[in-house]
């Protein structure tokens, strides 16, 4: 297996967070570095997905694929009633 190049990143974190990282590392029998890489990878994936969804939503707006606010409000208001409205499209 080829060795991936690495770079050391340093961050100051609050002690309670650092202690949780250490506890997680001990529980999983992994290194602190492994835990940090997992957490950072998951956060980056989440932010990339959020960015993708935002771009997709903006493209929908640009294309006119939107739902009127009043229609959404009427639908939401009807959710707690005996006769809820269908989801606006």
């Amino acid at each position: 297996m080829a060795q991936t190049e690495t770079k050391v990143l340093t961050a100051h974190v609050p002690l309670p967070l650092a202690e949780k990282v250490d506890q997680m590392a001990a529980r999983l029998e992994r290194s602190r570095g492994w835990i940090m890489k997992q957490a950072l990878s998951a956060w980056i994936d989440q932010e990339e997905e959020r960015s993708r969804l935002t771009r997709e939503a903006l493209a929908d707006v640009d294309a006119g694929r939107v739902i009127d606010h009043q229609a959404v409000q009427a639908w939401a208001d009807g959710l707690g009633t005996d006769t809820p409205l269908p989801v606006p499209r």
Side-chain angles (χ1 to χ4, degrees):
M1 181 191 300
Q3 184 70 12
T4 302
E5 287 189 60
T6 63
K7 179 178 183 177
V8 174
L9 301 176
T10 303
H12 290 267
V13 297
L15 282 176
L17 181 57
E19 289 167 359
K20 286 182 180 183
V21 169
D22 288 341
Q23 290 167 4
M24 185 70 66
R27 193 176 89 229
L28 297 175
E29 298 180 355
R30 295 288 190 157
S31 69
R32 181 186 296 152
W34 186 88
I35 298 294
M36 297 301 293
K37 283 185 272 186
Q38 295 300 308
L40 188 55
S41 292
W43 179 77
I44 287 173
D45 289 347
Q46 175 185 331
E47 290 304 309
E48 287 175 342
E49 179 67 0
R50 184 187 327 264
S51 177
R52 184 191 69 75
L53 290 171
T54 299
R55 289 190 312 273
E56 187 177 292
L58 290 172
D60 282 343
V61 170
D62 289 344
R65 294 185 297 266
V66 296
I67 299 171
D68 180 72
H69 173 75
Q70 290 175 333
V72 173
Q73 188 64 55
W75 168 77
D77 290 344
L79 288 177
T81 68
D82 291 336
T83 55
L85 296 173
V87 175
R89 303 223 180 259

